[in-house]
Amino acid sequence: MSDPLDFESKDTPFLVAVAGMIGIAKALFEGSFGVLGIAVASSVDDSFGAGALVFGILYLIASIMLLRGSRFGYYVTVALSVIGLVAAVVYMFSSGGAVFGGALLIALTNALVLYLLLGRDSSREFFGLGARASR
């Protein structure tokens, strides 16, 4: 049985591996925000905490699937990154102070994952979506 995160045996391109690792870290980060939102934050609604926790869990599953070379994981990671980027940009403009910095960090990590997966040829070709795949 192969190790699911064994990059050498799957020949995962470096950029896909970086995007997957950023995705895992981002999922843990947002999942911890969800747990904190549910457990201790009285200034936010429990639905926000539950939503952040579910988003983090989905992002974690999608990132692991991405590292395993799944095209479905690629699509889900891209979709969740787009949703996260849009939500972070909207949240940046409706907040201020230290919250702005956190929203900016989340927006930048989502944009970086999108760039690594959509903006680079090696990532698209690995999933059979590049220019060489259509020939």
Side-chain angles (χ1 to χ4, degrees), residues 21-74:
M21 289 185 280
I22 290 171
I24 290 172
K26 186 174 162 3
L28 295 174
F29 183 67
E30 291 184 6
S32 65
F33 272 152
V35 170
L36 287 174
I38 292 171
V40 295
S42 61
S43 63
V44 296
D45 190 19
D46 281 343
S47 63
F48 171 79
L53 182 61
V54 168
F55 187 81
I57 291 169
L58 289 175
Y59 211 99
L60 179 66
I61 293 169
S63 296
I64 291 172
M65 289 174 63
L66 178 75
L67 288 173
R68 293 188 63 138
S70 167
R71 188 182 287 189
F72 181 70
Y74 175 82

Side-chain angles (χ1 to χ4, degrees), residues 73-99:
Y74 175 82
Y75 289 135
V76 173
T77 303
V78 168
L80 290 173
S81 293
V82 168
I83 292 168
L85 179 62
V86 170
V89 168
V90 168
Y91 198 66
M92 276 191 314
F93 288 112
S94 66
S95 65
V99 176

Side-chain angles (χ1 to χ4, degrees), residues 8-20:
E8 295 298 322
S9 68
K10 302 220 182 277
D11 294 329
T12 304
F14 176 72
L15 297 175
V16 174
V18 170

